[in-house]
Amino acid sequence: MILKRLWKPLIVCLALGLTGCGGLSDVVRYEAGITRVKANIPLTKPVPVTPPAPALAAQLAKAGFTTFLRQTGDGPVTGWARRGVDLGAPQAVKSVSKVLVTAAFAVEEAKGTVSWDTPLTRVGGCDVPNALRPLTPAMLANMSAGFKFRENQTISVYASPNWACNFFAQPVEVKSGVRFNYATAQTHLLGLHLSEATGEPLDRLVQSRVLGPMGVDLDGWTVNQDGDVMGGSEMLLHPQDMLELGRAFRDGGRVDGRQIVPRAFVRRTTLSRYPDAGRPGIGYGWGWWQTNLGGTPVHFAEGYGAQVVAIVPRTGDVYVFTAPTGGLVSPATHDARMAVILGIIEAGLD
């Protein structure tokens, strides 16, 4: 099974003469140390879709996407799937998972169970090092913990026993809360803290606090050797369920007249906590990215390979994009797909 997961990265490394594949051993250790859970739940709220214009369908296919959805307000849904892809099949949404964790935390904060601003002293049975203190959940949610940690490197740490202790042993570059440094590790720690504070597994929290009240089912997640659900990535949703998530955030956290996610928190996600997040014209806050297209604010959750839920509040548009994630999706490929996504959204503003 592990070799089946790794055959594409192996082929790429062989084609490159193994140059630049020093992290492959980490990938092997990671895949050997995790368990991928699939619930295999059928799509909860299937809705009919109408095909996009042929030119848009061709553009999506050329850019390598697998599925696409767009809805304006409560209007009809435009939908497309690449040939051979089932639009009703669950997709690994990668870092879109982060918004599920921050939303679940916001729900618990409203109940008084946790607080964004209470300094953390111990997570996963490990003391927070003095060099990181004060470290708060808000800093983890906004990628400013101060770690010297490179995204997509040393990923075997995720799957190692006592993984939280290993993270806290990473070098510290700056005081927490000072500088943005995107690292999925920080959302993993946030999810672990939330699980410890509530006494519930993270998958159950996400389902019961966020997705279930939306009429959506979490269809998969990843568990490491310590039995912890990894919240920063690897969760599975159906594309239409991703659309429902986007609609909920577009509507201020409400679904069918019921407040699911606190409105004040949803408002926070539209404002960049770090306007300079290392990407020209794009900021970051609470698991969401924020930008302006033609002067129009756009907010999006983004996962590896270009898994995206995007919201355009002015028009009421919600977009969903998914793309292949197997093998090695290069930064150039990811960035090219994101450019296509933003171009499609901007063209839809006319």
Side-chain angles (χ1 to χ4, degrees):
M1 179 62 71
I2 295 171
L3 287 176
K4 184 178 180 181
R5 296 177 192 165
L6 294 174
W7 71 269
K8 287 185 179 180
L10 286 167
I11 289 174
V12 172
C13 286
L14 289 171
L16 295 174
L18 299 183
T19 300
C21 295
L24 184 59
S25 60
D26 275 343
V27 176
V28 173
R29 288 195 294 271
Y30 172 76
E31 293 291 345
I34 63 170
T35 300
R36 296 183 185 273
V37 179
K38 289 189 176 181
N40 296 317
I41 300 173
L43 178 62
T44 307
K45 291 183 176 182
V47 298
V49 299
T50 57
L56 176 55
Q59 183 182 17
L60 292 164
K62 183 178 179 180
F65 292 103
T66 49
T67 67
F68 165 81
L69 295 170
R70 176 188 179 184
Q71 186 176 25
T72 302
D74 294 323
V77 177
T78 299
W80 171 89
R82 192 185 188 107
R83 181 175 297 178
V85 175
D86 181 2
L87 187 58
Q91 307 286 326
V93 299
K94 299 298 182 178
S95 286
V96 173
S97 308
K98 292 176 172 61
V99 305
L100 302 178
V101 177
T102 57
F105 196 102
V107 171
E108 284 299 309
E109 189 204 31
K111 294 164 55 178
T113 311
V114 291
S115 168
W116 288 116
D117 300 318
T118 298
L120 301 172
T121 58
R122 194 168 175 83
V123 181
C126 309
D127 291 332
V128 176
N130 289 332
L132 287 175
R133 297 187 185 185
L135 173 66
T136 67
M139 293 171 187
L140 293 174
N142 289 289
M143 301 293 172
S144 61
F147 287 118
K148 182 181 180 181
F149 193 86
R150 295 288 298 278
E151 182 72 351
N152 296 326
Q153 295 187 19
T154 322
I155 63 172
S156 63
V157 175
Y158 296 159
S160 60
N162 301 314
W163 66 274
C165 297
N166 291 335
F167 275 134
F168 287 135
Q170 299 298 309
V172 175
E173 285 188 312
V174 296
K175 182 180 178 180
S176 296
V178 171
R179 190 174 70 194
F180 178 86
N181 179 26
Y182 188 92
T184 293
Q186 298 184 60
T187 311
H188 288 336
L189 289 171
L190 178 67
L192 179 57
H193 165 62
L194 178 61
S195 180
E196 290 178 332
T198 60
E200 294 189 51
L202 186 59
D203 59 295
R204 190 181 303 167
L205 284 165
V206 167
Q207 179 61 40
S208 63
R209 299 336 189 247
V210 182
L211 295 180
M214 295 180 186
V216 169
D217 288 305
L218 183 65
D219 204 56
W221 53 91
T222 298
V223 180
N224 79 340
Q225 289 186 40
D226 292 341
D228 301 320
V229 175
M230 309 305 279
S233 185
E234 304 295 338
M235 292 183 175
L236 272 65
L237 291 172
H238 295 82
Q240 288 193 6
D241 289 341
M242 295 169 69
L243 186 71
E244 190 69 27
L245 176 67
R247 282 164 45 92
F249 270 78
R250 180 202 64 192
D251 296 340
R254 295 179 69 82
V255 177
D256 296 331
R258 180 184 175 191
Q259 194 73 44
I260 306 301
V261 182
R263 180 178 291 275
F265 174 75
V266 174
R267 173 61 178 165
R268 283 184 184 181
T269 68
T270 69
L271 305 172
S272 298
R273 188 68 175 257
Y274 287 92
D276 182 10
R279 305 169 73 180
I282 299 177
Y284 188 87
W286 311 101
W288 292 83
W289 299 88
Q290 301 86 20
T291 191
N292 278 272
L293 298 176
T296 298
V298 175
H299 323 301
F300 59 95
E302 174 187 358
Y304 170 76
Q307 326 308 315
V308 167
V309 177
I311 303 167
V312 188
R314 179 175 69 79
T315 63
D317 280 324
V318 177
Y319 291 83
V320 169
F321 298 82
T322 67
T325 58
L328 295 174
V329 178
S330 70
T333 297
H334 177 94
D335 291 347
R337 289 175 182 167
M338 288 305 304
V340 171
I341 286 173
L342 296 178
I344 288 173
I345 295 173
E346 187 167 17
L349 298 175
D350 297 337

